[in-house]
Amino acid sequence: MTTEPRAGERIDPACPMAAFPFQVGGKWTGMVVVSLLDGPQRFGDLRQVLGTVTAKVLTETLRDMTRDGLVTRLDHRTNPPHVEYELTELGRSLVPLIDSMREWSDRHLAELLAHRRRSTTG
């Protein structure tokens, strides 16, 4: 029995692999995970570490990650507001996957870029 869809078939959204890119495959999710490895961080600190992320995109990413149980939002209930974000155990479980993806990228980046250059010039 094959689990791959045939041409024209729809992918079941309840399938764990179909949901994977939406849960942890976002551009910023892995970067947020890595940024939170050393402990809780405030929004502004995360934004500074991540560099080019906009406040809107980081807010959406953190909301999605909180909803999915990857991050905990810690509201210290102070005035002025003091909110921090921290990885959950589920979020920490992504670290080996992110490390594997980073290793793959390190090994193959030059090859990928060479293919891209040939594709755009040929």
Side-chain angles (χ1 to χ4, degrees):
M1 177 177 182
T2 181
T3 57
E4 292 183 32
R6 289 180 282 235
E9 284 185 335
R10 292 182 160 246
I11 297 173
D12 179 1
C15 170
M17 284 309 294
F20 177 81
F22 300 106
Q23 293 172 338
V24 297
K27 176 179 179 178
W28 296 103
T29 302
M31 295 169 140
V32 169
V33 169
V34 171
S35 298
L36 293 175
L37 282 176
D38 291 332
Q41 288 200 36
R42 296 181 77 164
F43 182 88
D45 296 332
L46 276 173
R47 189 152 178 235
Q48 187 173 7
V49 167
L50 295 172
T52 60
V53 68
T54 65
K56 178 181 186 268
V57 169
L58 182 56
T59 297
E60 290 170 357
T61 300
L62 290 167
R63 277 189 192 141
D64 290 346
M65 292 177 73
T66 300
R67 177 202 63 216
D68 291 342
L70 302 173
V71 167
T72 301
R73 183 179 186 273
L74 308 165
D75 186 346
H76 295 280
R77 305 223 183 264
T78 60
N79 193 6
H82 180 100
V83 175
E84 294 178 312
Y85 295 89
E86 182 175 34
L87 284 177
T88 63
E89 285 304 311
L90 183 60
R92 286 189 178 280
S93 73
L94 290 171
V95 173
L97 175 65
I98 292 167
D99 285 344
S100 293
M101 291 170 60
R102 186 183 304 156
E103 288 171 18
W104 184 90
S105 180
D106 287 347
R107 269 184 275 143
H108 299 288
L109 183 60
E111 182 181 356
L112 290 169
L113 292 174
H115 281 284
R116 187 172 290 173
R117 279 191 301 274
R118 283 194 298 268
S119 158
T120 58
T121 60

